Amino acid sequence: MKHHERVPLIPIARGEGVWLYDFEGRRYLDGISSWWVNLFGHNNLRINRAISDQLGKFAHTMLAGCTHEPVIELSERLSALTGGKLGHCFYGSDGASAIEIALKMSFQYWRNCGHSGKDRYISLQNGYHGETIGALSVTDVRLFKDTYAPLLRPSEQMPTPDTRRAEPGESPRDFAFRCARSLAAWLEEHGDETAAFILEPLVQCAAGMAMYDAEYLRQARALCAQHQVHLIADEIAVGFGRTGTFFACEQAPVTPDFLCLSKGLTGGYLPLSVVLARPEIYQAFYDDDIAHGFLHSHSYTGNPLACRAALATLEIFGEDKVIESNQGKAKAMREATRAIAQHAKVKNFRQCGMICAFEVETDDPHFGEHFREQATAAELLLRPIGNTVYFMPPYVIDAAEIEVLASRTLKIIDST
Ligand SMILES: *Cc1c(COP(=O)(O)O)cnc(C)c1O
């Protein structure tokens, strides 16, 4: 609040593609997809049309005792994207609610199966899973967590395979194996008390775009199966093509027990989240005893407008062959950022699909704020995490816009 007395908020009047416009006609390239949600630009006609069409039918109905075409179609299409392995969908309204659903469902699965002692959760160091009480309990970001510590349930953090932490000369893959050995040791001792291991596959975004080798996912999948611990893949940020594949888990490849999706799910238009689960999990709740059911609901669960936005988003993935065409864009991003990667003040330049990130060496304790101000002046909407600057643009970004993003960022690095 105080910061904005000095640096005013950016009042957004409208958006078009990767650009946001204020009321004076100034524009800002949305280099972070409005916090990792937007996929196909602002004011996307195809998504607009789908929402308008649904609006002409009905905007919302409860999903208890009622159902509707958009939610059924979306569930079937999402399940098909997992090769049918995650055959059931449970909807929430935003990312954190999906995490709460997965955590509760995992615990109750074990309880319904007669293992009520499995009530602990493990997650990765520096992991981020949202900010409601349950999600914050498995999050490991001190700034968000410390104040509420007395309210939170303790959870255990496993060493992060974040490649920046590897020993000099140690390959990302070897480091992944080393971190997996710590996970194995923990599970060996505490597997029977543990319900689930939750992680962000391939990129821990809020940790500052910490990237790691897919080998860790393979190891984690095998170890969780061996110790009867659920693997919850939080793909809220990395799903929908951000890492180069539709789901990040495909790069291992692994199938988690629970897959949490939100953010890009509706193309960045409307709040919606979903937890996909394996059929065995569904079966454990399929019972005459109502107490064995999953008694969890949100009023706007499966909102039809949001589902139609999500269906339009999936439509675009198919029609425009987005995953394939993003390979060219990712390459263009790599080339356009070469001078940044080689800059004397830049460390750890890394890229995973449509995400680029690097650290800037600086003595400025307010680097993030100052960088942001200069970016705004240069028509870029960027928001560093600490001294980590990253790009996660909407996929509609073109070569010229990639160039604008990279060259203007380079100038800011030079001047800081
Ligand atoms: C953003 C995010 C969440 C929380 O989603 P909200 O919609 O902000 O509640 C959870 N997990 C990850 C990995 C995220 O990036």
Side-chain angles (χ1 to χ4, degrees):
M1 288 183 285
K2 289 203 83 165
H3 170 69
H4 286 301
E5 286 171 9
R6 197 170 54 76
V7 184
L9 294 164
I10 305 171
I12 305 298
R14 64 188 181 88
E16 195 62 56
V18 297
W19 297 99
L20 291 165
Y21 295 84
D22 68 15
F23 291 81
E24 265 104 56
R26 276 188 298 264
R27 60 177 198 166
Y28 308 93
L29 196 161
D30 190 352
I32 55 171
S33 296
S34 288
W35 253 358
W36 324 340
V37 300
N38 191 290
L39 298 184
F40 300 122
H42 299 281
N43 199 15
N44 182 295
L45 279 184
R46 284 184 275 182
I47 303 176
N48 290 2
R49 235 184 265 131
I51 297 172
S52 303
D53 179 68
Q54 183 58 39
L55 202 50
K57 295 176 178 165
F58 68 103
H60 185 70
T61 173
M62 63 189 169
L63 210 54
C66 298
T67 189
H68 51 77
E69 202 176 328
V71 81
I72 294 171
E73 197 183 333
L74 181 60
S75 305
E76 287 178 353
R77 295 194 58 170
L78 290 172
S79 170
L81 285 163
T82 70
K85 289 182 181 132
L86 301 175
H88 294 275
C89 292
F90 196 101
Y91 289 87
S93 335
D94 47 40
S97 65
I99 300 300
E100 301 290 339
I101 289 163
L103 295 175
K104 283 176 73 177
M105 213 183 264
S106 170
F107 167 76
Q108 193 180 348
Y109 169 90
W110 296 116
R111 191 185 158 96
N112 283 355
C113 297
H115 302 285
S116 42
K118 283 169 94 67
D119 64 355
R120 296 180 73 172
Y121 297 99
I122 57 177
S123 59
L124 285 180
Q125 283 168 340
N126 300 330
Y128 178 86
H129 302 288
E131 302 187 44
T132 52
I133 301 284
L136 198 55
S137 292
V138 289
T139 287
D140 185 40
V141 181
R142 289 194 57 181
L143 179 65
F144 303 149
K145 194 165 175 172
D146 280 2
T147 307
Y148 307 102
L151 305 180
L152 305 177
R153 201 159 184 284
S155 68
E156 205 66 40
Q157 275 63 55
M158 301 296 117
T160 171
D162 175 352
T163 357
R164 292 173 298 181
R165 296 188 173 207
E167 295 291 338
E170 187 178 32
S171 74
R173 188 149 181 272
D174 287 345
F175 184 49
F177 275 115
R178 183 151 68 87
C179 293
R181 283 196 290 279
S182 308
L183 171 66
W186 202 89
L187 288 172
E188 204 64 59
E189 204 165 328
H190 303 287
D192 2 332
E193 310 146 26
T194 306
F197 178 26
I198 180 167
L199 50 64
E200 298 155 90
L202 298 186
V203 189
Q204 294 181 285
C205 296
M209 303 298 152
M211 298 182 187
Y212 63 86
D213 195 275
E215 183 61 40
Y216 187 80
L217 291 178
R218 270 193 292 281
Q219 296 296 316
R221 174 63 287 182
L223 288 166
C224 284
Q226 185 190 332
H227 292 279
Q228 294 214 320
V229 168
H230 289 140
L231 181 66
I232 304 175
D234 176 353
E235 294 221 14
I236 290 168
V238 296
F240 297 90
R242 291 287 183 200
T243 67
T245 44
F246 192 83
F247 296 126
C249 280
E250 291 168 27
Q251 292 185 40
V254 295
T255 303
D257 299 292
F258 296 93
L259 175 64
C260 301
L261 304 173
S262 187
K263 292 201 167 112
L265 175 60
T266 60
Y269 262 63
L270 287 163
L272 181 71
S273 66
V274 63
V275 179
L276 284 99
R278 285 179 180 280
E280 306 90 274
I281 295 184
Y282 175 83
Q283 280 307 323
F285 292 82
Y286 189 74
D287 201 295
D288 290 323
D289 181 356
I290 192 165
H292 275 203
F294 188 59
L295 303 179
H296 181 108
S297 64
H298 294 287
S299 305
Y300 282 101
T301 268
N303 174 264
L305 295 170
C307 288
R308 285 296 300 273
L311 285 165
T313 296
L314 293 180
E315 210 65 45
I316 295 174
F317 269 101
E319 283 171 9
D320 295 3
K321 301 208 178 347
V322 170
I323 297 297
E324 291 84 340
S325 86
N326 276 0
Q327 287 173 6
K329 298 206 178 185
K331 189 157 169 268
M333 277 166 64
R334 193 152 52 244
E335 280 159 11
T337 52
R338 193 153 290 153
I340 294 178
Q342 290 165 357
H343 196 281
K345 283 193 226 165
V346 168
K347 280 200 322 196
N348 309 321
F349 186 92
R350 54 200 179 275
Q351 182 177 11
C352 181
M354 293 295 285
I355 310 172
C356 289
F358 53 90
E359 276 76 52
V360 177
E361 271 177 2
T362 171
D363 305 326
D364 179 2
H366 301 290
F367 168 80
E369 269 171 43
H370 293 145
F371 186 96
R372 213 156 91 197
E373 280 174 56
Q374 293 193 55
T376 309
E379 301 186 314
L380 305 179
L381 188 65
L382 292 173
R383 239 185 122 94
I385 301 170
N387 66 335
T388 303
V389 177
Y390 68 92
F391 304 138
M392 198 197 282
Y395 306 156
V396 293
I397 194 165
D398 66 21
E401 290 159 345
I402 289 173
E403 196 49 48
V404 164
L405 185 58
S407 61
R408 294 190 190 173
T409 299
L410 182 64
K411 270 202 203 117
I412 300 170
I413 299 167
D414 270 333
S415 71
T416 43

